[in-house]
Amino acid sequence: MKQLLLVFLGGGLGSVARFAVTKLVVYKQLNLIWGTLAVNVIGSLLIGLILGYTLKTTGLNQNTVLLLATGFCGGFTTFSTFAYENQGLLRTGDYTTLLLYTIGSFVLGILAVFLGLWLVKSLS
């Protein structure tokens, strides 16, 4: 039960953080998809840092990983929104943005995870 509550709390905090970042990007007159891209890349970096630190040390216990990686990062990142936005771009025929957005999300997300892992390894 404690683990479920930790995931619930982390997910709620991650969702609020996602909302705030997306609103900030949209407030700056950018398209909503760039807010989603930002949180997916930031979330990928965060999970790389969290899990990289966990693998390198014994500093984070299982409950903390559940709170931060499963909960917060799970609530913060927005893959379901990403998929929805891609179908919208397909539906409207905006293939250039679809291609840039999809490839950019995957490549930058994966690179951000590697960066997080590398940063933890390098700074220890």
Side-chain angles (χ1 to χ4, degrees):
M1 185 62 151
K2 178 182 178 181
Q3 292 177 331
L4 289 175
L5 290 174
L6 289 169
V7 172
F8 175 77
L9 176 63
L13 293 171
S15 295
V16 170
R18 178 184 68 229
F19 177 78
V21 169
T22 301
K23 286 298 176 189
L24 177 66
V25 171
V26 172
Y27 173 76
K28 299 286 186 186
Q29 306 303 321
L30 298 174
N31 192 309
L32 182 62
I33 65 171
W34 305 121
T36 302
L37 176 63
V39 297
N40 282 336
V41 171
I42 293 167
S44 296
L45 174 62
L46 286 175
I47 204 165
L49 290 168
I50 293 163
L51 296 179
Y53 182 76
T54 301
L55 291 171
K56 183 133 179 101
T57 69
T58 57
L60 297 180
N61 63 36
Q62 182 183 6
N63 287 335
T64 305
V65 172
L66 284 173
L67 174 73
L68 297 175
T70 305
F72 185 84
C73 290
F76 185 67
T77 59
T78 55
F79 195 79
S80 58
T81 303
F82 168 76
Y84 176 78
E85 290 168 348
N86 273 302
Q87 71 80 30
L89 293 169
L90 274 170
R91 190 173 19 85
T92 61
D94 191 352
Y95 303 118
T96 302
T97 302
L98 171 73
L99 184 66
L100 291 172
Y101 180 51
T102 302
I103 292 171
S105 293
F106 283 115
V107 170
L108 291 173
I110 291 166
L111 288 175
V113 168
F114 279 116
L115 176 61
L117 293 167
W118 179 81
L119 284 171
V120 168
K121 183 178 180 182
S122 297
L123 298 175
S124 311

